[in-house]
């Protein structure tokens, strides 16, 4: 007979496998994530608004790209391989504004459209990106302005 802990672990593994299978059925697999991260950050590095922010902070691009691939696999597949605190990293950038998050999403959505294999896969990844941008920007706004910043991300664009 299985213990409650074993049942919980089995359930978590099953849910993780189902999430990954759903994404993969839409064309969102590890290769897609790798291409997405590589292409997206290539566009970021040449963007007039975003490039200066990243260039001032990212000195080892291969390591950063590997970390972002782990992050997105964790987000999309619940792989659990990402460690870090994106909220703290973004809060430490005083010049971040809504315009930066809007531009980030514009570039992200453009990358997804170029890689699209299935509109459902594009929607899946785009909705996760939108939620992440909203969460990061709202967290920054609350830190800066208190509770009045609680809905800061509501105007960020959707794909």
């Amino acid at each position: 007979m299985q213990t409650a802990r074993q049942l919980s672990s089995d359930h978590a593994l099953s849910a993780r496998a189902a999430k990954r299978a759903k994404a993969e059925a839409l064309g969102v697999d590890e290769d897609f994530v790798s291409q997405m991260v590589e292409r997206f950050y290539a566009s970021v590095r040449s963007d007039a608004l975003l490039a200066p922010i990243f260039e001032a902070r990212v000195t080892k691009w291969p390591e950063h790209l590997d970390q972002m691939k782990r992050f997105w696999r964790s987000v999309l597949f619940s792989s659990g391989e990402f460690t870090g605190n994106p909220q703290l990293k973004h809060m430490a950038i005083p010049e971040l504004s809504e315009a930066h998050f809007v531009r980030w999403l514009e570039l992200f959505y453009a990358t997804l459209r170029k890689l699209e294999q299935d509109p459902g896969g594009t929607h899946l990844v785009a909705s996760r990106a939108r939620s992440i941008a909203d969460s990061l920007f709202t967290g920054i706004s609350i830190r800066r302005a208190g509770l009045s910043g609680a809905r800061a991300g509501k105007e960020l664009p959707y794909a």
Side-chain angles (χ1 to χ4, degrees):
M1 187 164 161
Q2 288 187 315
T3 67
R5 178 177 276 177
Q6 290 168 325
L7 287 172
S8 177
S9 176
D10 289 349
H11 175 73
L13 289 173
S14 176
R16 187 175 292 156
K19 187 173 184 179
R20 184 181 195 115
K22 178 183 175 186
E24 288 177 345
L26 297 171
V28 179
D29 57 13
E30 288 195 28
D31 185 54
F32 178 91
V33 170
S34 182
Q35 287 182 51
M36 177 188 74
V37 167
E38 295 283 342
R39 289 186 185 188
F40 171 68
Y41 280 100
S43 65
V44 164
R45 292 180 79 180
S46 65
D47 185 76
L49 181 63
L50 297 180
I53 301 242
F54 282 86
E55 291 301 328
R57 289 160 182 83
V58 178
T59 58
K60 298 177 181 176
W61 276 97
E63 289 88 345
H64 182 71
L65 295 176
D66 287 343
Q67 183 167 351
M68 292 300 93
K69 290 173 188 177
R70 286 190 302 275
F71 173 80
W72 281 103
R73 287 191 302 263
S74 291
V75 167
L76 297 168
F77 310 142
S78 294
S79 67
E81 63 190 289
F82 175 78
T83 57
N85 189 330
Q87 188 70 54
L88 284 178
K89 293 280 187 186
H90 289 81
M91 282 185 176
I93 306 171
E95 66 269 30
L96 281 185
S97 68
E98 183 175 15
H100 294 99
F101 286 93
V102 167
R103 186 65 183 145
W104 185 91
L105 284 168
E106 290 169 350
L107 294 177
F108 200 91
Y109 297 155
T111 300
L112 292 177
R113 286 189 295 275
K114 289 177 189 171
L115 293 172
E116 184 171 87
Q117 298 173 28
D118 182 308
T122 299
H123 177 73
L124 171 72
V125 182
S127 66
R128 296 295 193 294
R130 172 55 170 78
S131 293
I132 290 164
D134 184 354
S135 175
L136 292 172
F137 182 53
T138 298
I140 289 166
S141 296
I142 289 171
R143 184 165 192 220
R144 291 177 183 166
L147 287 179
S148 65
R151 289 296 301 136
K154 70 181 178 183
E155 300 299 326
L156 294 176
Y158 288 91

